[in-house]
Amino acid sequence: MPLQSLLSSSIITLSLISIITISSSMAEADSSVPKSVSAAVHIVYTERPQHEDLEIYHLRTLSSVLGSEDAAKGALLYTYKHAACGFSAKLTPEQVEDLSKQPGVLQVVESRTVKLHDSPEK
């Protein structure tokens, strides 16, 4: 019985290692951003579509620049649905320029962290 338990846990461990390895390989193989070009996270503000799901609209808009829906899905980080209409994606400078020219795209800005309030140093 202990040998069977040891074999089972070894198989489970090997399976998990294989899944992790495959996942990291897929992440490295993301074709939406060329390896030689630095990509940064950008916020893309868009018009709100009248008769189309926001995420589908955003993927279609991004696909028109990145060349495929798979590349768009790899680059899309978040879809904004409430206070603003848009999405965040990892984009190269050339992709930002091309995306800015797409119909329905209002503005593309690089994402950055801003501190609203600093406490005085003591």
Side-chain angles (χ1 to χ4, degrees):
M1 198 66 164
L3 180 59
Q4 186 178 14
S5 176
L6 180 63
L7 285 174
S8 293
S9 62
S10 295
I11 291 171
I12 291 171
T13 303
L14 287 173
S15 298
L16 288 172
I17 290 171
S18 297
I19 290 170
I20 291 169
T21 303
I22 290 169
S23 296
S24 65
S25 296
M26 288 174 68
E28 289 172 5
D30 180 12
S31 62
S32 66
V33 178
K35 296 290 181 211
S36 61
V37 178
S38 168
V41 176
H42 286 78
I43 310 297
V44 181
Y45 296 96
T46 64
E47 295 176 347
R48 189 172 296 277
Q50 296 300 313
H51 304 290
E52 189 174 11
D53 177 73
L54 276 177
E55 190 166 352
I56 292 171
Y57 174 70
H58 294 152
L59 282 171
R60 185 171 50 79
T61 302
L62 200 49
S63 296
S64 68
V65 170
L66 301 183
S68 73
E69 188 174 328
D70 286 339
K73 286 180 180 178
L76 184 71
L77 300 173
Y78 189 79
T79 294
Y80 300 97
K81 300 177 183 178
H82 302 290
C85 182
F87 58 93
S88 60
K90 210 166 187 186
L91 304 167
T92 65
E94 183 179 298
Q95 292 167 338
V96 169
E97 186 178 331
D98 292 344
L99 192 58
S100 297
K101 298 173 186 172
Q102 295 300 310
V105 173
L106 303 174
Q107 184 180 24
V108 182
V109 294
E110 189 167 353
S111 179
R112 58 190 177 122
T113 303
V114 179
K115 283 187 173 183
L116 296 177
H117 185 272
D118 262 345
S119 24
E121 291 184 31
K122 293 183 180 184

